[in-house]
Amino acid sequence: MGELFRSEEMTLAQLFLQSESAYCCVSELGEIGMVQFRDLNPDVNVFQRKFVNEVRRCEEMDRKLRFVEKEIKKANIPILDTGENPEVPFPRDMIDLEATFEKLENEMREINTNQEALKKNFLELTELKHILRRTQQFFNEMEDPSLLEEASNLLDPNEVGRVAPLRLGFVAGVIGRERIPTFERMLWRVCRGNVFLRQADIDDSLEDPTTGDRVHKSVFIIFFQGDQLKNRVKKICEGFRASLYPCPETPQERKDMAAGVNTRIDDLQMVLNQTEDHGQRVLQAAAKTLRVWFIKVRKMKAIYHTLNLCNIDVTQKCLIAEIWCPVSDLDSIQFALRRGTEKSGSTVPSILNRMQTKQTPPTYNKTNKFTSGFQSIVDAYGIGNYREINPAPYTIITFPFLFAVMFGDLGHGLLMVCAALYLVLRERRLIAQKNENEMFQMVFAGRYIILLMGLFSVYTGIIYNDCFSKSLNVFGSGWSVRPMFTGDNWTFKTLEDNRILQLDPAVPGVFGGPYPIGIDPIWNIATNKLTFLNSFKMKMSIILGVIHMLFGVTLSLFNHMYFKKNLNIFLGFIPEIIFMSSLFGYLVLIVFYKWTAYDAKTSKDAPSLLIAFINMFLFNYNDPTNKPLYTGQMVIQSLLVVIALACVPCMLIVKTLVMRRQHLWRRNLGTHNFGGIRVGNGPTDDEAGIIQHDQLAQNTEEEPEQSEEEVFNFADEAVHQAIHTIEFCLGCISNTASYLRLWALSLAHAQLSEVLWSMVMHIGLSSGNFAGFIVLSFIFAAFASLTVFILLIMEGLSAFLHALRLHWVEFQNKFYTGQGFMFMPFTFDNILEGKFDD
């Protein structure tokens, strides 16, 4: 249970894997996902490693599968996903997989090539069919004498009578409909008006065999005279990518040709349908096993990538790997290695040897589906140092609670709980759907955070007695509606003559005391409601903030005790906790004292806490406007200020001097000077410096990672400690003031909710007839939409971000460094989740 509050204990281990069993052993380690491999070949190019050819083969198979996947998606065929976790294929199975994928790719490419050729032929025949049909209409129209005379005049006005219409040449073709205007202008300019163009749109769109897009085209026929114009026309058609087709001159030939074209189109359509059916069958068969193939190939690729991180001994029979792994999982790792050895058929077992190292291990915090969201909040600030106190368990409670302090509303909290419960109760079905929307994935990952935030918001909403800006009068008000100075009850005359009335807090109400739980509902109609809530919520924010920060400072004690830093305990933690408790802890105590020491009758004589706290620092106790809270206040406050100020030099100066003294004692190795006389058997200061320099140089040559013992620099340590002390002392003030955002956000949320009710919902409730009911239906829809989008989403995000900042800056900086690096185990889980990352 202790590992919940601190990162897992890690160890560096060395693996000795036999060449024939290395593949299966790494496969089993990838299934359990508990080890992180170190790269033992950082200076070796990736193209020069041992298993680079296997990686390339896996990448080639992956490319072929992506090609098949693209074809399947193009055909709108669903890819079957049963959630199956196939075992990693053996290396000898790679040849069979390669042959299968090669055959599938070649078959698909052959189908695509044949289909494209057939579609191209089908398009040409279709265009020719439309040309024959349209040209027949053109020739029928040209038999009109008036049109014939017009065409002859256009060809050569000077030789109208001598030109025979039958000697006119013509070409027919198909062109894109959008190019017709430009095409016509170009013909007119180049041929100088000596051609006659007729065109007609094809009603049906045609399919482009290359891209598969639908295009709109037009049929044209151009009449001209002479070979020179014929060459010009053909070049223009070629430039505009127009398709020219042979068209017979006689009607009978055109009719016979059209009949042949129709027959060929019917035959070609039948062949096309058979080709498409065959392609569909091939793709449907591939879609059933595509995901399994993907997982197998990418698992193999990940294994060979990992094997490339290992060293190979001189005998080429053993692979040496170094791994980081949790100490608690060593038995599971050993069992996985035995399974891998047995699966490979090897008789030589793999060896796992723990190593001693000075390197900093990675940080690994075990999580489940409930704690993973809160751990992500902590890790977003920074990965914790190795074995440092993990703030996530405490964040599970404090984060939703601080959010709820700012978002306290019973109605809004219930809506948030309902939304979170939907995600929690249907999480298996939602996970199976694999929604790739980024916003949904983010909300779904934080479903338990949202659930707790909603539950805490319901609690604080009951405390604030606030539900959609309205109070719930469950137990009856604790105030008595009676006059202040007389014993008689108010009359109707009193109510008519006075717009605002004041209640006497000294007169007991129904219970003879305060409201049983939360804020009295009568405050909802009071004109000084904001004044009362301001005072209450501001003090509450200070109390919660000081307790939260004191808790953070207390957690630093457990870090110092675990890492055996006694100096940080006596000259770090103790002065810090005393400094904060003497000033801000005392402020919290006098808040509670004022609440208990003064009642309704004596509340007018209560002094101001803010002025009293300011006078405490100024040592001003002769202020006639602010009476003392209790007897002996001057002595106690003066003593607390002196104690707090005395803690500053302990952190600023004393700690640095003690660190310097400890360093000199270690360096002198037992040598002491008394009156200038050297006593002891250790070396002199100069000799000790030379010894230390030589040791550091030797450590650097042997293993650079282990030369972390830095030379003590008094100036650097003094500056570092000064920065830390100033940051802590000033941070106590600024961080305490930062918790006032709890008060500000809470009031902002309550006021926005009240404005939304009075400006929207109140309009619909003002009418009592049937028309008002119809209007109320639309107004309620608008009210519900604004509540969800403004109060729940926008205000919820605002409160979430402010609670995040309070944890990152005000709470975690008291004990959490966050300068470590995350444990990244070799695992196949990403492949199974569809991420397909190595």
Side-chain angles (χ1 to χ4, degrees):
M1 191 65 182
E3 302 302 333
L4 176 65
F5 303 97
R6 200 179 293 277
S7 62
E8 292 285 326
E9 184 180 357
M10 307 294 292
T11 183
L12 182 65
Q14 200 171 33
L15 280 179
F16 294 92
L17 306 173
Q18 297 300 315
S19 298
E20 60 270 15
S21 64
Y23 180 90
C24 294
C25 290
V26 173
S27 169
E28 293 297 327
L29 294 177
E31 295 291 348
I32 63 174
M34 293 180 181
V35 299
Q36 175 180 337
F37 285 84
R38 297 182 64 229
D39 190 359
L40 302 183
N41 307 300
D43 300 327
V44 180
N45 193 295
V46 291
F47 301 105
Q48 297 175 345
R49 304 197 179 192
K50 179 175 178 59
F51 299 97
V52 63
N53 291 328
E54 286 79 1
V55 173
R56 286 176 175 172
R57 292 169 65 185
C58 292
E59 289 177 347
E60 180 64 18
M61 289 190 291
D62 190 80
R63 181 195 62 79
K64 294 175 182 178
L65 288 178
R66 288 199 307 271
F67 167 75
V68 176
E69 182 185 27
K70 180 181 177 182
E71 295 296 324
I72 292 174
K73 291 181 177 179
K74 187 188 297 184
N76 294 324
I77 298 175
I79 298 176
L80 183 64
D81 185 4
T82 59
E84 179 186 358
N85 181 13
E87 293 185 356
V88 181
F90 290 99
R92 60 178 176 270
D93 297 334
M94 186 183 293
I95 300 176
D96 297 335
L97 288 175
E98 285 178 326
T100 301
F101 300 156
E102 182 73 21
K103 178 182 178 182
L104 182 59
E105 184 192 26
N106 292 337
E107 188 173 5
M108 287 307 307
R109 291 192 182 279
E110 184 179 359
I111 291 173
N112 291 341
T113 303
N114 295 336
Q115 196 170 19
E116 184 177 349
L118 290 173
K119 286 184 177 181
K120 185 177 181 182
N121 196 2
F122 182 80
L123 176 65
E124 293 175 351
L125 291 175
T126 304
E127 291 177 348
L128 181 56
K129 180 183 72 173
H130 287 287
I131 286 175
L132 293 174
R133 182 185 304 169
R134 292 294 183 179
T135 50
Q136 183 61 38
Q137 296 177 3
F138 293 154
F139 281 111
N140 293 338
E141 293 174 358
M142 289 301 295
E143 292 178 357
D144 188 354
S146 59
L147 292 176
L148 184 61
E149 183 179 359
E150 180 184 353
S152 301
N153 292 334
L154 286 172
L155 290 176
D156 193 349
N158 298 322
E159 301 180 359
V160 176
R162 292 180 292 173
V163 177
L166 296 178
R167 296 175 57 189
L168 293 176
F170 68 91
V171 292
V174 176
I175 191 173
R177 190 177 298 177
E178 69 279 359
R179 297 179 180 177
I180 284 292
T182 310
F183 180 63
E184 190 172 359
R185 284 196 301 270
M186 183 62 69
L187 280 173
W188 180 266
R189 291 174 181 173
V190 174
C191 299
R192 298 181 181 180
N194 292 321
V195 295
F196 182 69
L197 171 68
R198 294 298 304 273
Q199 61 91 16
D201 296 338
I202 299 177
D203 298 332
D204 301 329
S205 60
L206 305 177
E207 182 182 357
D208 190 337
T210 305
T211 62
D213 299 332
R214 307 296 296 185
V215 294
H216 297 275
K217 294 189 175 184
S218 298
V219 174
F220 66 87
I221 184 169
I222 305 173
F223 294 93
F224 52 83
Q225 185 180 22
D227 294 337
Q228 188 175 3
L229 285 177
K230 180 180 180 180
N231 294 333
R232 291 183 183 179
V233 168
K234 285 187 176 181
K235 288 182 179 180
I236 294 172
C237 293
E238 183 180 352
F240 279 85
R241 296 181 183 177
S243 301
L244 298 179
Y245 294 93
C247 183
E249 296 184 359
T250 63
Q252 185 61 36
E253 292 178 347
R254 288 194 293 270
K255 184 178 181 181
D256 296 340
M257 188 175 185
V261 168
N262 290 329
T263 303
R264 292 174 60 190
I265 287 176
D266 294 337
D267 297 340
L268 194 58
Q269 185 65 52
M270 184 184 301
V271 177
L272 264 174
N273 293 336
Q274 293 176 355
T275 305
E276 290 180 358
D277 291 341
H278 177 63
Q280 288 284 331
R281 288 193 297 270
V282 173
L283 292 177
Q284 288 174 355
K288 295 179 181 179
T289 55
L290 182 68
R291 183 181 179 275
V292 174
W293 286 340
F294 262 128
I295 293 175
K296 287 183 177 180
V297 170
R298 284 167 176 170
K299 279 186 176 182
M300 294 173 64
K301 181 180 176 183
I303 291 172
Y304 283 120
H305 267 299
T306 305
L307 291 175
N308 277 333
L309 303 178
C310 305
N311 265 339
I312 303 175
D313 69 340
V314 293
T315 62
Q316 300 288 321
K317 294 183 179 180
C318 179
L319 273 73
I320 305 172
E322 289 185 5
I323 59 172
W324 288 109
C325 59
V327 175
S328 59
D329 294 329
L330 284 175
D331 293 339
S332 301
I333 297 171
Q334 292 274 20
F335 186 64
L337 292 175
R338 285 198 296 269
R339 284 201 312 267
T341 303
E342 294 172 359
K343 186 182 294 186
S344 64
S346 175
T347 57
V348 181
S350 301
I351 300 174
L352 176 65
N353 178 35
R354 293 184 62 177
M355 301 170 61
Q356 298 294 328
T357 179
K358 293 183 179 179
Q359 301 178 42
T360 303
T363 302
Y364 176 45
N365 295 297
K366 287 186 177 180
T367 59
N368 52 38
K369 64 181 181 180
F370 177 74
T371 60
S372 60
F374 297 96
Q375 189 66 53
S376 299
I377 290 177
V378 175
D379 293 341
Y381 174 79
I383 307 300
N385 289 4
Y386 176 64
R387 300 294 288 168
E388 191 175 36
I389 284 285
N390 183 20
Y394 317 105
T395 305
I396 294 175
I397 300 300
T398 58
F399 184 85
F401 178 73
L402 292 183
F403 170 87
V405 171
M406 296 179 280
F407 196 76
D409 190 288
L410 177 60
H412 299 156
L414 286 175
L415 292 177
M416 188 175 291
V417 169
C418 293
L421 279 177
Y422 172 80
L423 298 176
V424 170
L425 298 178
R426 298 174 61 90
E427 61 182 10
R428 291 186 178 180
R429 183 175 299 179
L430 294 174
I431 291 174
Q433 291 177 0
K434 294 185 178 180
N435 193 327
E436 297 182 357
N437 184 276
E438 187 175 354
M439 286 295 296
F440 176 81
Q441 288 290 342
M442 181 177 62
V443 174
F444 182 74
R447 58 192 180 279
Y448 290 101
I449 301 176
I450 299 174
L451 178 62
L452 287 184
M453 291 192 305
L455 292 175
F456 276 95
S457 297
V458 171
Y459 167 73
T460 53
I462 295 174
I463 298 298
Y464 296 158
N465 200 356
D466 198 358
C467 180
F468 297 113
S469 78
K470 293 297 163 186
S471 296
L472 303 177
N473 191 3
V474 180
F475 304 102
S477 175
W479 288 75
S480 177
V481 186
R482 300 177 65 184
M484 296 181 61
F485 303 109
T486 64
D488 300 326
N489 292 329
W490 281 329
T491 63
F492 287 103
K493 180 66 175 176
T494 307
L495 299 177
E496 292 175 357
D497 296 340
N498 298 277
R499 189 174 63 87
I500 298 175
L501 297 173
Q502 183 175 355
L503 300 182
D504 187 356
V507 179
V510 178
F511 301 104
Y515 196 67
I517 180 171
I519 304 294
D520 196 298
I522 202 170
W523 283 107
N524 192 56
I525 60 174
T527 57
N528 59 338
K529 172 185 176 182
L530 277 181
T531 305
F532 168 73
L533 292 180
N534 274 344
S535 176
F536 168 73
K537 293 186 177 180
M538 182 178 67
K539 293 182 176 64
M540 179 193 64
S541 301
I542 295 296
I543 294 170
L544 294 177
V546 172
I547 293 175
H548 199 210
M549 290 189 295
L550 285 174
F551 178 62
V553 176
T554 305
L555 290 178
S556 66
L557 172 64
F558 296 96
N559 275 336
H560 302 328
M561 292 173 60
Y562 179 82
F563 294 112
K564 298 179 181 180
K565 296 182 178 180
N566 296 328
L567 182 63
N568 289 347
I569 296 177
F570 294 105
L571 296 178
F573 165 72
I574 293 179
E576 288 177 359
I577 200 74
I578 292 176
F579 179 87
M580 184 174 290
S581 301
S582 301
L583 301 179
F584 300 98
Y586 172 74
L587 176 62
V588 172
L589 291 178
I590 61 176
V591 169
F592 283 105
Y593 176 79
K594 181 179 178 181
W595 282 345
T596 56
Y598 294 90
D599 56 13
K601 295 181 180 179
T602 61
S603 60
K604 295 181 179 179
D605 300 329
S608 171
L609 294 182
L610 179 60
I611 297 177
F613 196 61
I614 294 174
N615 290 336
M616 176 180 173
F617 290 95
L618 300 178
F619 295 96
N620 180 15
Y621 298 100
N622 297 321
D623 189 355
T625 62
N626 205 61
K627 298 180 181 180
L629 278 167
Y630 56 89
T631 305
Q633 179 179 352
M634 179 181 68
V635 177
I636 294 178
Q637 291 187 168
S638 301
L639 180 62
L640 290 176
V641 173
V642 171
I643 291 175
L645 294 177
C647 293
V648 177
C650 290
M651 296 182 288
L652 182 63
I653 300 175
V654 178
K655 183 178 179 181
T656 310
L657 294 177
V658 173
M659 292 173 63
R660 180 176 181 274
R661 180 61 185 169
Q662 289 180 345
H663 170 72
L664 293 176
W665 179 79
R666 288 192 301 266
R667 192 185 71 174
N668 291 334
L669 302 176
T671 301
H672 303 281
N673 293 327
F674 294 94
I677 301 175
R678 178 173 171 269
V679 179
N681 57 358
T684 63
D685 292 350
D686 296 337
E687 292 171 344
I690 296 173
I691 293 173
Q692 186 182 32
H693 180 272
D694 293 341
Q695 289 177 348
L696 287 175
Q698 183 179 1
N699 291 336
T700 303
E701 292 176 359
E702 293 177 355
E703 188 171 0
E705 294 85 352
Q706 297 182 359
S707 61
E708 297 179 356
E709 184 180 354
E710 299 179 358
V711 179
F712 180 83
N713 190 311
F714 179 77
D716 291 345
E717 292 295 333
V719 170
H720 172 76
Q721 193 61 31
I723 293 174
H724 173 75
T725 304
I726 294 172
E727 182 182 6
F728 177 80
C729 296
L730 296 181
C732 288
I733 303 173
S734 63
N735 293 349
T736 304
S738 183
Y739 278 92
L740 291 177
R741 69 185 68 237
L742 299 174
W743 157 47
L745 267 294
S746 175
L747 286 176
H749 183 80
Q751 289 301 303
L752 192 58
S753 179
E754 185 173 349
V755 168
L756 190 61
W757 178 275
S758 59
M759 297 295 291
V760 179
M761 198 65 186
H762 188 68
I763 299 174
L765 296 174
S766 60
S767 178
N769 51 21
F770 182 75
F773 172 76
I774 302 299
V775 174
L776 178 62
S777 302
F778 292 99
I779 289 179
F780 178 77
F783 172 77
S785 302
L786 292 175
T787 299
V788 171
F789 289 105
I790 296 179
L791 293 179
L792 287 183
I793 297 179
M794 292 181 59
E795 280 287 313
L797 285 175
S798 176
F800 182 90
L801 292 176
H802 284 283
L804 200 64
R805 181 248 154 77
L806 289 177
H807 278 78
W808 283 356
V809 179
E810 278 72 30
F811 174 60
Q812 290 182 187
N813 71 345
K814 301 295 187 296
F815 66 96
Y816 187 70
T817 307
Q819 294 181 352
F821 58 98
M822 184 180 291
F823 175 63
M824 302 290 291
F826 169 66
T827 176
F828 293 143
D829 288 343
N830 290 338
I831 298 177
L832 297 178
E833 292 173 2
K835 297 179 181 178
F836 296 151
D837 292 334
D838 292 328

